[in-house]
């Protein structure tokens, strides 16, 4: 790339919606781009809950970042982790080495917010990466396996109880999908247990679920969840999460082997390492052109940034916002290279949606509100459209059509050596009594043994 | 299942081709069946190398055992590991608990044979389970990532060298697939390296590869491999495998970051725990009716068994043999319950094949030998036919057609937190020099850190 050495170097950190779109929108621009991500794939996060509930395979919703850019010659991709930024020196500090930049676009997203109880992260499983989705899937499948084997009714009840914490779209989608998995997909697969007796509880600290939606739509979703057999606990903040389940502030417990955290996000370590002003959620405060107030050549976009756009709108932490910001930053850099002044960012709210099971959803766009099957069709169409890669779109559509008609979920694999997975299998002899054993919960995968 | 309690209890250990077919063939029989496996899925092993080389996803070639039997009411499935058998007492000993049986069908397959060098198992990756296939995939993808980042030419060469040990079908298929991945799929995805410069070496201790095939077919396969850029080393037993690669008996080394073991199998711990006579490869010696000589109610089939059939043929360790034995054992049990005497097993050789890349293969059936594109079509047809599950057949066909026309391999995901994967990423600053670091090889996945 000898001809590019004197071109401005744009370094983009993060291969999610924001970073990917920024790089894609710089195609053909007179810059050289380095895109850094600590995984090798772009993840379609809105469908991650489907991997977690064994509906889709990882490869259906993820695409290798390299293949997205294989033909875009001004982009090179680096598998690396960013640890910090030397802002005066214009250097991005990596796990190994560094990158000097002329423009820096930070788009690393957010991490889980346990509201001061980071220790809960060892018991409750989050849902932001493929790794986490696969762990939830494993935990959930093993819970059913453990319930099948145990003769202890208390243990069985605990294993067949699934708690999802957080009443936003992610939590609602997870809870609905869990319930359908238990009630329909797995219903004939076991002999000692009836999976449809599984109990799914959605816990929300605030007075209603889907608080970002109008109240009537939130109520519709609640009714949809109820028809799927999901118990919704509103106005009940969690006070404690441990090996055995959760406890509310009043001491009431729910014993559950699987607890999923979808209750909040905050900024990552990288955001803190910048040394700039953050908001209460740890997000980086940026100007209306998405740049750091004192460093116009550094942009922060997507979930990691707190941006008030040109119309005074607080840009929400949604995928369409990250996409728009990524495209905006690329346009801004191109214009600036040509000597033009910057225009502020303007967020265009195209509507939001949340799905509840296989044929229900709620959606709103401006004043238009949809609920039920129509909303679900809209949800499907939008999500398939935004998937990157024709093959992925086809596979996801195929998988959904298959599941719609057959209820079979094909991605129900436990791939780590689980025969002696201690955390969930309770000791039981199907033909005779054996004392019940239970070991401690572990969020990390045990090292496989043969 | 109150009505079944007085029916004979058939316990089947292993959900591979042998065990699955035994259970399926007992549909409607007056028995109750318990199928035990330490994973929750049936794996189509012939295509495992495609998962290892990022061509297919795990869910494409595996199906949850429970869903195979959800409608077969006389079968229950147990996720458990078998540790031994109390032959006089007719009890199968599990990791937790036990099962009393009237008939026992052991079909646990084989494990890797390192010919007395079990320590090689920490450096060389085997290919028998999904877990192992994913580890190979991860190692291979990270090797390219590490090569992209390093500025050390020796390190780069090592990272771009892939060694496959074992010139049987598995080794040949892996080597061919590795080579195609490097030469075609990844070729435009990197900037600092040219993946087609990757070196793939197939190492075979004996005088020729594919020794089970006629010599001319073996030579055809060798030519096919050569045209794919694979170096074949025949007559060269490996003397040493370590962190950095392999060494032959004469001391010559090949430095390679990825070493795959496909050179031999032997009986598992369970086979040894039985306390019966084993052959040199650790396989359980059975009579011509597949049962233990002193325990006719105990059968051993598939790769774990050494059986000489009614025609004096030594039953080979191939999938079709395991399928036939599984079906045979089911028929034998049914007949015996009705008071009929046993017939010995007769293996029907329907031919074998090996594929070399995306449109070449060799195949033989009786006197008919095929090579090239026709053989590959036959190979594809047979493998798709034997896949369990209409959806899987469709997905695999779709994936292959897609890859055939586009070369894209969709399953190229690294899903564990790999940003700081120490084993392969060599320290390098793309914009400046940093001393080269290398840590020791590790066959086990590191615990993900955030």
């Amino acid at each position: 790339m000898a001809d590019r050495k004197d071109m401005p170097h744009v370094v983009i950190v993060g291969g999610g919606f924001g970073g990917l779109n920024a790089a894609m929108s710089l195609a053909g621009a007179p810059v050289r781009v380095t895109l850094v991500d600590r995984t090798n794939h772009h993840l379609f996060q809105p469908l991650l809950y489907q991997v977690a509930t064994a509906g889709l395979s990882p490869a259906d919703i993820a695409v290798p970042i390299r293949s997205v850019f294989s033909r875009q010659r001004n982009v090179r991709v680096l598998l690396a982790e960013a640890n910090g930024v030397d802002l005066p020196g214009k250097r991005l500090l990596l796990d190994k080495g560094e990158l000097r930049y002329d423009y820096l676009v930070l788009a690393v997203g957010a991490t889980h917010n346990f509201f001061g109880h980071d220790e809960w992260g060892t018991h409750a499983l989050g849902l932001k990466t493929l790794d986490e989705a696969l762990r939830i899937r494993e935990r959930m499948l093993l819970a059913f396996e453990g319930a099948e084997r145990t003769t202890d009714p208390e243990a069985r009840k605990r294993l067949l109880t699934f708690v999802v914490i957080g009443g936003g779209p992610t939590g609602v989608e997870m809870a609905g999908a869990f319930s359908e998995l238990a009630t329909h997909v797995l219903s004939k697969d076991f002999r000692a247990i009836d999976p449809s007796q599984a109990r799914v509880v959605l816990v929300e600290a605030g007075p209603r679920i889907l608080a970002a939606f109008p109240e009537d739509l939130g109520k519709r979703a609640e009714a949809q969840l109820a028809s799927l057999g999901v118990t919704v606990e509103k106005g009940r903040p969690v006070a404690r999460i441990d090996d055995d389940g959760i406890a509310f502030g009043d001491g009431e417990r729910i014993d559950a082997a699987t607890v999923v955290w979808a209750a909040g996000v905050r900024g990552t370590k990288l955001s803190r390492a910048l040394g700039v002003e953050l908001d209460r959620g740890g997000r980086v405060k940026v100007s209306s052109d998405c740049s750091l107030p004192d460093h116009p050549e550094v942009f922060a976009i997507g979930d990691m940034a707190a941006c008030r756009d040109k119309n005074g709108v607080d840009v929400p932490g949604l995928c369409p916002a990250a996409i728009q910001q990524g495209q905006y930053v690329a346009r801004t850099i191109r214009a600036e290279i040509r000597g033009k002044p910057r225009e502020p960012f303007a967020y265009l709210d195209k509507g939001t949606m949340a799905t509840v099971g296989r044929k229900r959803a709620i959606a709103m766009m401006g004043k238009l509100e949809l609920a039920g099957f129509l909303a679900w069709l809209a949800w499907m169409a939008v999500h398939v459209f935004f998937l990157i890669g024709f093959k992925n779109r086809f596979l996801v559509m195929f998988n959904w059509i298959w599941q719609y008609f057959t209820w079979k979920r094909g991605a129900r694999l436990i791939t780590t050596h689980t025969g002696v997975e201690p955390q969930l299998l309770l000791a039981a002899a199907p033909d005779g009594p054996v004392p019940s054993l239970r070991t401690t919960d572990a969020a990390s995968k045990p090292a496989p043994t043969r």
Side-chain angles (χ1 to χ4, degrees), chain A residues 64 104 119 202 209 246 253 303 305 321 342 424 430:
Chain A
L104 179 66
E119 70 279 7
L202 178 65
I209 63 170
I246 66 165
R253 289 191 56 84
D303 288 2
R342 294 189 182 186
L424 288 171

Side-chain angles (χ1 to χ4, degrees), chain A residues 6 170 180 233 253 292 349 351 363 377 397 424:
Chain A
D6 43 359
T170 302
E180 285 188 330
E233 298 272 5
R253 289 191 56 84
L292 298 185
D349 186 341
L377 283 180
M397 281 303 313
L424 288 171

Side-chain angles (χ1 to χ4, degrees), chain A residues 78-98:
Chain A
L78 222 57
L79 182 73
E81 181 151 22
N83 289 335
V85 184
D86 168 11
L87 287 165
K90 296 195 191 173
R91 298 179 309 148
L92 176 72
L93 310 171
L94 303 173
D95 48 344
K96 295 189 170 59
E98 59 177 50

Side-chain angles (χ1 to χ4, degrees), chain A residues 49 53 140 144 160 162 164 171-187 195-202 224-231 356-358 360 407 409:
Chain A
Y49 81 96
T53 52
M140 176 195 64
F144 284 104
L160 290 178
F162 302 85
V164 179
V172 167
E173 287 168 342
M174 279 293 299
F178 264 155
S179 198
E180 285 188 330
L181 186 75
T183 312
H184 293 279
V185 179
L186 302 179
S187 57
S196 60
Q197 298 305 307
R199 187 172 156 223
V200 182
V201 185
L202 178 65
Q224 291 165 1
L225 283 172
S227 75
L228 286 178
V230 175
T231 309
V356 185
R358 91 199 233 279
R360 303 169 182 84
W407 278 113
R409 290 175 104 99

Side-chain angles (χ1 to χ4, degrees), chain A residues 79-398:
Chain A
L79 182 73
E81 181 151 22
N83 289 335
V85 184
D86 168 11
L87 287 165
K90 296 195 191 173
R91 298 179 309 148
L92 176 72
L93 310 171
L94 303 173
D95 48 344
K96 295 189 170 59
E98 59 177 50
L99 290 172
R100 294 184 185 281
Y101 59 83
D102 295 298
Y103 290 98
L104 179 66
V105 182
L106 299 169
V108 300
T111 184
H112 306 294
N113 186 351
F114 292 105
F115 303 111
H117 288 276
D118 283 352
E119 70 279 7
W120 289 351
T122 52
H123 306 290
L125 301 168
L127 185 64
K128 279 213 154 284
T129 66
L130 273 180
D131 202 26
E132 290 184 327
L134 292 173
R135 273 191 244 184
I136 292 176
R137 179 178 86 181
E138 181 182 69
R139 174 77 63 91
M140 176 195 64
L141 292 175
L142 286 176
F144 284 104
E145 294 289 345
E148 173 82 346
R149 282 189 78 176
T150 186
T151 49
D152 174 359
E154 284 301 309
R156 179 170 292 169
K157 188 160 173 247
R158 180 178 163 270
L159 286 165
L160 290 178
T161 301
F162 302 85
V163 170
V164 179
I165 303 174
T170 302
V172 167
E173 287 168 342
M174 279 293 299
F178 264 155
S179 198
E180 285 188 330
L181 186 75
T183 312
H184 293 279
V185 179
L186 302 179
S187 57
K188 298 204 178 349
D189 280 12
F190 294 85
R191 302 287 178 259
I193 61 169
D194 176 6
S196 60
Q197 298 305 307
R199 187 172 156 223
V200 182
V201 185
L202 178 65
V203 174
E204 166 57 39
R208 60 186 191 91
I209 63 170
L210 296 171
F213 287 77
E215 193 161 355
D216 61 315
L217 280 186
K219 283 199 183 343
R220 286 292 296 265
E222 225 183 301
Q224 291 165 1
L225 283 172
S227 75
L228 286 178
V230 175
T231 309
V232 179
E233 298 272 5
K234 293 171 298 189
R236 305 206 73 184
V238 169
R240 180 185 163 82
I241 304 177
D242 53 40
D243 273 1
D244 300 322
I246 66 165
F248 297 109
D250 58 12
E252 182 191 340
R253 289 191 56 84
I254 301 181
D255 285 337
T258 306
V259 178
V260 174
W261 182 268
V265 293
R266 63 184 168 106
T268 61
K269 267 191 329 189
L270 181 64
S271 298
R272 292 193 289 282
L274 291 176
V276 298
E277 196 187 352
L278 308 176
D279 75 354
R280 251 187 350 155
R283 298 186 305 172
V284 175
K285 286 189 172 182
V286 295
S287 313
S288 64
D289 66 354
C290 301
S291 70
L292 298 185
D294 300 320
H295 301 274
E297 71 281 1
V298 178
F299 299 90
I301 59 175
D303 288 2
M304 74 174 287
C307 176
R308 183 162 286 177
D309 79 351
K310 108 185 209 187
N311 302 316
V313 169
D314 285 321
V315 181
L318 297 174
C319 299
I323 292 172
Q324 291 176 27
Q325 285 179 321
Q327 294 167 344
Y328 162 82
V329 164
R331 281 197 309 271
T332 299
I333 290 173
R334 282 179 185 261
E336 191 155 281
I337 285 172
R338 289 197 310 270
K340 306 242 169 89
R342 294 189 182 186
E343 299 285 336
F345 173 65
Y347 172 58
L348 183 59
D349 186 341
K350 294 184 183 164
T352 49
M353 13 177 80
T355 186
V356 185
R358 91 199 233 279
K359 46 180 189 171
R360 303 169 182 84
I362 59 168
M364 65 179 189
M365 183 170 156
K367 289 199 166 30
L368 173 66
E369 293 181 11
L370 289 176
F373 191 62
L374 267 183
W376 181 74
L377 283 180
W379 175 89
M380 248 190 26
V382 164
H383 283 76
V384 168
F385 177 76
F386 276 98
L387 267 172
I388 301 230
F390 174 74
K391 180 188 177 203
N392 290 36
R393 289 188 197 122
F394 179 86
L395 283 177
V396 169
M397 281 303 313
F398 175 78

